Amino acid sequence: MPIGPSPSPALPEPLLRIIEARHHDPFEVLGSHRQDDGTATVHAFLPQAERARINEAGIDLERIPGTDLFAWEGPADQLAQHSHYRVTWYDRQGRVESRCDPYTFGPQLGDFDLHLFGEGRHWHAYRFLGSHRRTVDGVEGFQFAVWAPGAHRVSVIGDFNNWDGRAHPMRVRGGSGVWELFIPDLTPGTLYKYELRDGGGNVHVKIDPYANAFQERPDNACILTAPSSYRWGDAEWLAARAKRDWQHSPISVYEIHLGSWQREADGSFLNYREIAKRLAAYCTEMGFNYVELLPVTEHPLDASWGYQATGYFAPTARFGAPDDFRAFVDELHKHDIGVLLDWVPAHFPRDTTALAKYDGTALYEHADPRQGEHKDWGTLIFNYGRHEVKNFLLSSALYWLAEYHIDGLRVDAVASMLYLDYSREDGEWIPNKYGGNENLDAVDFLRQLNTVTHEQHPGSLMVAEESTSWPQVSRPTYLGGLGFSMKWNMGWMHDTLSYMEKDPIYRHYHHDLLTFGLLYAFTENFVLPFSHDEVVHGKKSMLDKMPGDAWQKFASLRLLYTFMFTYPGKKLLFQGCEFGQGQEWNFDAEADWYLLERPQHQGIKQIVRDLNQLYQAHPALHEVDFDSAGFEWIDCHDSSQSVLSYLRKSKDGKQIVCCAFNFTPVPRENYRIGVPLPGYYREAMNSDAELYGGSNVGNRGGVHAEPVSWMGRPNSIPLALPPLAGVVMVHEPEVDAAAETADTPTATAEGAAAAAPRGSAASPGAAAGSDADAGADPDATPG
């Protein structure tokens, strides 16, 4: 704080408190005040000023000796026509400043807004808190408002007042804890923060929690913004989204980190608009119909990937301005691609300029570290029981949905919110009022969050990253659920990757890792995630997780993706996984796109594209993802050969898709599986196709069912199961076998069919002397 002249101790106490920046109600002193005797007084605190005057009235203000406080007293009539007068002052260099006095304006915030905010029911608190361009009584400026009930004084500071906390102290609105001030003549682009004096006399400089834009790190000042003039072009998309039956539609999500997906040639970041053009084209090519962004809420540390946010109402400045991010979302919508945003209400960083001890007290967090600290992450936990904190988070969620047309939020670390003893030892947590470990305030908050977002933004998706067995995460709140649209299936992900990481020779001992998930697959609306968390911190890339030599690694990855895209649940892949990224994800460099110069990686990219097309083209693979009616085991017991087979069925039951997977490098000829209907079963996908880099063991385009009872079914088909591969057979009406096998099938938009004769040469990874002609146990029944 700039140091001014030493004030005289003889000054009245109210004036001393203004000069020393400790007055809780500056409007009591500053501005003009009419007296009962017909006179008026004017006080203006003007650091750096040599002399000052009121323009309209031609009144010269006199400095109070030894201070930067200027005053005038005289007939009230001289100010009668100038309720919002301008003060002009001259500094020591003779420079002139002229501004309308902010202390001539009355309170601007409505009592109803403050009432709703105090009750935690103001869904759009960001519309009155923060900074907003306003015209008041014909005077343009910016309205500021901040919640800081523990502060004894709050000031707006910025480049317009030399960051001097004495210059623009705010008024507090009764017991609401909200401070406000209208400052005339400010323009967009101006930098600002808040300076707060706590009960102990300590001064804190803080960002605006509701700021809409920030400087690019390492600078962190807030930026005044004008109301957006961006013209959206996605009205049709939003209307269609509101009517979309998303539960029975294909959802394939491409998860990306904007700072490391692609970069400029010199390694610098791309702008939101350029990323959007490239990303829309790429997702269209690959068949992804949603993108999910790692957090773009403003954050100071790149290495946090955005998960330690400080600006809950501002897209990060790393990639452009707020309207650039609007253009990003708009561009993707124009290509029929939805946008999901990772959103982090579970914790926030300890940065001294942000939310931590905002007004000198534990305001947004719990005071007790047993409730308020995440020791694992070095962060603080929101106090969900405090109405204003809950309102802050609810408003943030609705802000992204309303102001940026985001199609949904993936809520991070939900498990850490639900459990009071999350990652804590005995004695390190406080039970709830019933003696349990459930965070009842967090549960209420999440239910309210999901209820309000779904009501106000129909068709929006709320997705939980929740890794425990908490019941009914994705069930409606009126049934006792948390109300999320979907939940990440972390159990399936961990079990499947654990299985795939094992050497094929040992997999038959762990067959249950693949089958156990079906015991709970329909208890929630699940997303199958291979996310960023699985390819960092020594966990290896998806490709490098696979055992064996190079051929087996690529074959296993193709097999894994085929299994994923046919398994019940919506799909999610992180950037780089779709082409077999070689190294772990590095947030500080773009993905290894150069690998696409190599055929093996081209094969991974091709099969992901074809699997997306297959998944979206066949209702049986997406219509009944959340109900057991869409799935049926053919055989889940063949652990000795590490083979799985199952049926996927459409909503009307008319389309049948048979899926069979061989998790060993041993090709299996004439592997017979039971099927429900006679007819022809076309091979719509074979992950061993030569097109993908496979050995081309296949079924010559398809097979006819035979009236041979097998596995409790009246019909069966003999398959050639390629090594480390999956095949997808689509049931079709009976057709002439000769016509069907006359042409060699090729890769199509819905998937590549293997063209080689059944039983062609095994892969380089195939074991010699195998029992390749062994079929499944005919007496096996579905589990």
Side-chain angles (χ1 to χ4, degrees):
M1 178 189 301
I3 300 175
S6 299
S8 168
L11 285 175
E13 177 63 18
L15 298 186
L16 274 175
R17 295 209 304 268
I18 289 291
I19 294 167
E20 295 172 354
R22 54 185 179 87
H23 204 305
H24 74 287
D25 183 13
F27 283 81
E28 180 184 310
V29 174
L30 299 176
S32 62
H33 297 270
R34 180 182 290 271
Q35 311 300 323
D36 292 340
D37 61 2
T39 63
T41 60
V42 172
H43 286 96
F45 188 81
L46 302 171
Q48 314 301 326
E50 280 289 296
R51 52 194 177 90
R53 72 192 320 263
I54 299 174
N55 285 11
E56 296 87 343
I59 295 173
D60 289 322
L61 302 177
E62 294 189 9
R63 181 193 298 274
I64 296 177
T67 75
D68 286 325
L69 196 62
F70 289 75
W72 172 84
E73 184 174 359
D77 292 345
Q78 285 190 248
L79 286 175
Q81 304 301 317
H82 312 290
S83 57
H84 300 309
Y85 52 79
R86 301 185 71 81
V87 176
T88 300
W89 67 93
Y90 305 84
D91 65 14
R92 292 176 179 85
Q93 285 74 40
R95 291 173 298 196
V96 180
E97 293 279 350
S98 180
R99 288 181 186 159
C100 195
D101 189 343
Y103 298 96
T104 64
F105 293 85
Q108 302 300 310
L109 301 184
D111 290 336
F112 189 56
D113 283 328
L114 295 173
H115 173 74
L116 289 179
F117 178 66
E119 290 193 339
R121 295 189 299 113
H122 200 305
W123 310 143
H124 303 98
Y126 62 86
R127 293 179 180 170
F128 77 94
L129 292 172
S131 61
H132 299 278
R133 197 174 193 180
R134 296 282 188 265
T135 299
V136 180
D137 297 338
V139 179
E140 290 189 355
F142 273 82
Q143 169 74 25
F144 297 86
V146 63
W147 177 60
H152 284 211
R153 186 263 302 170
V154 182
S155 299
V156 185
I157 59 175
D159 54 3
F160 59 92
N161 64 11
N162 295 312
W163 305 94
D164 188 341
R166 302 170 300 167
H168 288 96
M170 308 172 78
R171 64 158 35 109
V172 67
R173 294 297 304 276
S176 69
V178 175
W179 300 73
E180 67 158 298
L181 183 66
F182 174 72
I183 303 181
D185 304 321
L186 297 185
T187 56
T190 300
L191 304 180
Y192 78 100
K193 291 184 181 180
Y194 293 119
E195 183 180 277
L196 302 91
R197 181 187 178 103
D198 66 23
N202 304 301
V203 174
H204 310 269
V205 175
K206 296 284 189 175
I207 63 171
D208 181 354
Y210 288 84
N212 297 142
F214 288 86
Q215 291 178 294
E216 186 174 350
R217 53 88 179 96
D219 296 321
N220 60 9
C222 313
I223 304 175
L224 295 181
T225 59
S228 174
S229 59
Y230 183 81
R231 299 183 63 181
W232 289 92
D234 62 350
E236 290 185 10
W237 164 269
L238 294 178
R241 185 190 76 183
K243 300 176 182 177
R244 186 184 182 200
D245 181 12
W246 62 266
Q247 292 195 13
H248 303 104
S249 301
I251 294 180
S252 183
V253 183
Y254 186 48
E255 184 190 34
I256 74 164
H257 174 254
L258 291 180
S260 62
W261 180 63
Q262 288 186 3
R263 291 191 173 189
E264 298 282 10
D266 62 1
S268 61
F269 292 140
L270 297 168
N271 182 274
Y272 286 117
R273 295 175 188 261
E274 179 60 26
I275 299 174
K277 293 176 184 177
R278 299 187 186 188
L279 187 58
Y282 187 71
C283 288
T284 300
E285 173 196 354
M286 294 297 295
F288 294 105
N289 59 359
Y290 278 85
V291 297
E292 181 177 312
L293 308 179
L294 269 64
V296 299
T297 40
E298 191 59 86
H299 53 282
L301 182 65
D302 289 13
S304 78
W305 314 335
Y307 288 97
Q308 294 196 16
T310 52
Y312 276 75
F313 296 83
T316 177
R318 289 166 175 81
F319 316 112
D323 275 355
D324 293 328
F325 185 61
R326 289 183 173 89
F328 172 94
V329 177
D330 204 14
E331 179 71 14
L332 288 165
H333 283 173
K334 290 174 184 176
H335 288 78
D336 294 326
I337 299 167
V339 181
L340 306 177
L341 177 65
D342 274 17
W343 184 67
V344 190
H347 61 115
F348 59 93
R350 297 173 178 269
D351 295 55
T352 58
T353 61
L355 297 181
K357 288 189 179 283
Y358 191 80
D359 60 2
T361 69
L363 187 62
Y364 286 87
E365 69 272 35
H366 287 276
D368 193 322
R370 293 175 296 173
Q371 297 172 293
E373 293 184 7
H374 267 310
K375 292 184 177 180
D376 290 353
W377 303 330
T379 54
L380 301 174
I381 301 171
F382 284 105
N383 183 351
Y384 306 107
R386 196 161 193 171
H387 292 322
E388 295 89 348
V389 174
K390 181 170 62 175
N391 219 151
F392 170 79
L393 292 170
L394 289 169
S395 294
S396 172
L398 290 167
Y399 174 79
W400 293 101
L401 297 174
E403 300 298 323
Y404 288 98
H405 294 199
I406 295 294
D407 299 293
L409 303 173
R410 177 268 201 183
V411 182
D412 181 64
V414 171
S416 75
M417 301 170 66
L418 294 174
Y419 297 96
L420 295 167
D421 60 347
Y422 182 87
S423 193
R424 296 176 186 271
E425 302 295 333
D426 290 343
E428 295 180 346
W429 60 282
I430 301 176
N432 62 35
K433 61 184 179 181
Y434 303 112
N437 67 341
E438 302 88 357
N439 189 332
L440 303 179
D441 291 330
V443 171
D444 288 343
F445 161 70
L446 290 171
R447 286 174 171 162
Q448 191 172 33
L449 167 72
N450 291 317
T451 299
V452 173
T453 52
H454 286 139
E455 284 179 352
Q456 298 212 357
H457 299 277
S460 61
L461 302 176
M462 300 296 291
V463 184
E465 186 215 15
E466 203 284 315
S467 56
T468 74
S469 57
W470 186 282
Q472 301 194 95
V473 171
S474 58
R475 295 295 179 259
T477 56
Y478 58 79
L479 296 178
L482 293 183
F484 283 97
S485 310
M486 291 178 282
K487 167 182 170 174
W488 276 19
N489 195 337
M490 309 293 280
W492 173 88
M493 180 272 295
H494 284 298
D495 287 350
T496 302
L497 290 181
S498 177
Y499 180 88
M500 294 300 297
E501 288 171 351
K502 300 183 187 305
D503 190 292
I505 199 172
Y506 301 117
R507 284 177 178 168
H508 67 282
Y509 296 114
H510 305 280
H511 200 65
D512 61 307
L513 289 174
L514 294 183
T515 59
F516 178 72
L518 266 301
L519 295 178
Y520 61 83
F522 308 108
T523 60
E524 300 279 4
N525 299 340
F526 278 125
V527 177
L528 309 180
F530 289 140
S531 73
H532 64 279
D533 277 328
E534 309 318 313
V535 292
V536 289
H537 300 324
K539 296 179 183 179
K540 303 180 182 179
S541 67
M542 291 293 288
L543 180 65
D544 207 26
K545 292 177 191 288
M546 304 297 112
D549 59 25
W551 190 94
Q552 290 190 5
K553 285 180 179 291
F554 281 95
S556 293
L557 190 57
R558 296 193 301 268
L559 165 62
L560 174 61
Y561 290 162
T562 306
F563 180 61
M564 171 196 186
F565 272 88
T566 58
Y567 193 93
K570 307 309 180 186
K571 324 301 177 187
L572 180 142
L573 268 182
F574 182 58
Q575 67 183 45
C577 297
E578 81 281 7
F579 62 80
Q581 172 93 12
Q583 302 295 319
E584 285 190 353
W585 169 51
N586 177 8
F587 73 89
D588 205 23
E590 74 170 11
D592 294 340
W593 296 101
Y594 67 87
L595 291 176
L596 287 172
E597 298 171 3
R598 303 173 186 177
Q600 306 99 311
H601 295 275
Q602 292 175 8
I604 298 293
K605 179 184 175 185
Q606 180 71 42
I607 197 171
V608 170
R609 182 176 72 177
D610 290 347
L611 284 168
N612 263 323
Q613 293 171 343
L614 180 79
Y615 164 64
Q616 296 183 33
H618 290 79
L621 294 178
H622 64 250
E623 275 192 345
V624 196
D625 270 329
F626 306 141
D627 191 294
S628 60
F631 178 92
E632 184 179 337
W633 282 114
I634 296 175
D635 181 22
C636 63
H637 298 301
D638 193 4
S639 60
S640 63
Q641 299 185 90
S642 298
V643 174
L644 273 183
S645 53
Y646 50 73
L647 298 175
R648 293 299 310 277
K649 295 177 284 186
S650 61
K651 193 174 181 181
D652 58 11
K654 292 182 180 179
Q655 187 180 74
I656 301 292
V657 176
C658 300
C659 309
F661 307 91
N662 177 11
F663 291 93
T664 71
V666 180
R668 306 196 183 280
E669 179 69 13
N670 294 315
Y671 188 96
R672 187 173 292 274
I673 63 172
V675 292
L677 298 172
Y680 185 73
Y681 288 80
R682 175 173 53 84
E683 188 174 71
M685 170 57 66
N686 183 332
S687 70
D688 190 51
E690 184 178 10
L691 176 67
Y692 307 133
S695 61
N696 231 19
V697 173
N699 293 279
R700 304 178 66 182
V703 295
H704 285 269
E706 299 174 356
V708 177
S709 179
W710 207 260
M711 300 175 179
R713 293 181 173 83
N715 303 283
S716 57
I717 54 176
L719 294 176
L721 287 187
L724 294 173
V727 295
V728 180
M729 314 296 292
V730 178
H731 177 256
E732 293 185 347
E734 187 69 42
V735 294
D736 181 74
E740 188 63 31
T741 58
D743 298 321
T744 300
T746 58
T748 65
E750 67 172 11
R758 290 165 60 195
S760 62
S763 72
S770 68
D771 56 344
D773 59 349
D777 180 358
D779 297 323
T781 56

